[in-house]
Amino acid sequence: MAGQQRVFKARIKSTQSLKKMFRAQELIAASRIGRARGRVTMATPYARAITRAVSAVATHSDVSHPFLVERDDTKRVAVLLIASDRGMAGAYSASVIRETERLVQRLEQSGKQVSLFVSGRRAVAYYTFRQRELAGRWTGFSDAPTPEVADEIADALLAAFRAPADEGGVGEVHVVFTQFVNMVTQRPRVIRMLPLEVVEGVEPAGEHDALPLYEFEPSPEEVLDSLLPRYVRTRIYANLLQAAASELAARQRAMHTATENAEDLIRLYTRLANQARQGEITQEISEIVSGADALAAS
């Protein structure tokens, strides 16, 4: 019985330490989620505006730009996966990795070769362990991305899209990230970034609204040359911000659940320790009574 008490007390102590760690991680995530959501809110209008601008140029001009036309000289495609640097976020990284694997499988079944670009230590470790070659990797910023990091990722993807086929050039660029819907719901999403696929189109005009007329200066070609790289950088930065807010929300929820589970375990181990102590006391009383009866009988 005494041995059982020691075991339960040791488990209570270790679980209390884990509870403190879980609670600290929950508070850290809660303190950062507000700022992350604010950054998403601030970045969204600009991302939508530049998307509308690119959509307007592509729709109201007959320019054949390389970013708008599918390449037929290569079967290679690029897939950018945005995951987390740290764990303790429930199934956040596993969900986006699973979505990426489904996308890769669909692309390979259609006869295409996939070049993986990965952001986040969890995803890098996943593919490194499976000895999968990575065309690019970025780590250390998943919960607080910066425009400089987004530009670096965008430049790598643009370089791959512009490269000739015999130098590893890709014909498509896909991005897999986690969209922040609210504090409870975060949804993995797949978008095709290049050739241009407008993911948020221009809002439709009303029944009696006049359609706008467009005039491009200096020319549609030069406008697209300037807008499209900026569009790619903006969309990648917006996706990184969405993923960061999703990661923090998932971590806060997972750590809250882990804290509650730790409290349940502490209550269970405390009850079992009390039962072991009561059993030990009962056994000691029985031994004293038995000894007293033996002395009285002698």
Side-chain angles (χ1 to χ4, degrees):
M1 292 295 181
Q4 288 185 350
Q5 283 194 67
R6 286 193 296 270
V7 169
F8 290 133
K9 288 180 179 179
R11 290 180 179 177
I12 291 172
K13 186 176 180 180
S14 63
T15 307
Q16 287 175 338
S17 299
L18 289 174
K19 175 188 170 182
K20 292 178 182 179
M21 181 181 65
F22 295 151
R23 181 60 175 166
Q25 292 293 332
E26 178 187 356
L27 294 177
I28 292 172
S31 66
R32 294 178 178 176
I33 185 64
R35 182 180 178 185
R37 293 174 63 184
R39 296 177 71 186
V40 171
T41 302
M42 289 187 293
T44 299
Y46 179 74
R48 288 178 177 172
I50 197 169
T51 301
R52 286 196 296 267
V54 172
S55 177
V57 180
T59 303
H60 298 280
S61 66
D62 55 357
V63 177
S64 179
H65 196 276
F67 284 7
L68 304 178
V69 180
E70 294 189 10
R71 296 178 57 174
D72 56 3
D73 60 339
T74 178
K75 291 293 185 180
R76 185 177 295 275
V77 300
V79 175
L80 171 63
L81 163 62
I82 301 176
S84 66
D85 285 322
R86 299 188 297 117
M88 295 187 175
Y92 169 77
S93 292
S95 298
V96 72
I97 290 174
R98 187 162 53 246
E99 190 68 30
T100 303
E101 288 296 293
R102 283 197 286 262
L103 172 63
V104 170
Q105 185 178 6
R106 290 197 302 269
L107 292 173
E108 289 179 344
Q109 287 176 351
S110 62
K112 298 178 180 179
Q113 300 175 344
V114 177
S115 295
L116 280 172
F117 295 78
V118 176
S119 171
R121 289 193 184 94
R122 305 295 290 186
V124 170
Y126 175 87
Y127 288 107
T128 301
F129 178 77
R130 286 158 180 79
Q131 299 180 352
R132 299 276 293 276
E133 182 180 357
L134 299 179
R137 62 181 72 188
W138 297 269
T139 59
F141 57 85
S142 66
D143 59 350
T146 62
E148 292 76 17
V149 171
D151 289 347
E152 182 180 346
I153 297 174
D155 290 342
L157 294 175
L158 289 171
F161 189 77
R162 290 166 171 160
D166 55 358
E167 297 180 8
V170 299
E172 298 177 9
V173 175
H174 299 263
V175 182
V176 187
F177 68 102
T178 305
Q179 180 186 18
F180 178 84
V181 180
N182 51 49
M183 290 298 296
V184 179
T185 304
Q186 297 85 43
R187 184 181 303 119
R189 281 196 61 191
V190 178
I191 62 173
R192 194 186 75 177
M193 188 75 65
L194 294 174
L196 178 63
E197 181 179 61
V198 179
V199 294
E200 294 181 21
V202 182
E203 291 84 355
E207 182 179 354
H208 302 290
D209 292 342
L211 295 176
L213 298 177
Y214 292 90
E215 183 175 352
F216 305 106
E217 293 291 345
S219 67
E221 293 86 351
E222 295 184 53
V223 172
L224 285 175
D225 286 338
S226 176
L227 277 182
L228 284 174
R230 190 173 302 178
Y231 163 81
V232 173
R233 294 184 178 95
T234 301
R235 294 303 307 183
I236 289 178
Y237 183 51
N239 294 344
L240 289 172
L241 292 178
Q242 290 271 353
S246 300
E247 176 186 346
L248 291 171
R251 180 169 292 117
Q252 181 185 8
R253 188 171 63 253
M255 291 299 97
H256 180 73
T257 303
T259 302
E260 292 182 341
N261 292 339
E263 292 174 349
D264 293 339
L265 281 176
I266 291 172
R267 284 192 292 268
L268 173 62
Y269 291 147
T270 301
R271 184 169 65 251
L272 294 175
N274 289 337
Q275 290 176 356
R277 180 173 177 273
Q278 291 171 0
E280 182 181 354
I281 293 173
T282 302
Q283 182 179 357
E284 290 178 354
I285 293 175
S286 299
E287 291 174 353
I288 292 172
V289 172
S290 299
D293 290 343
L295 290 174
S298 62

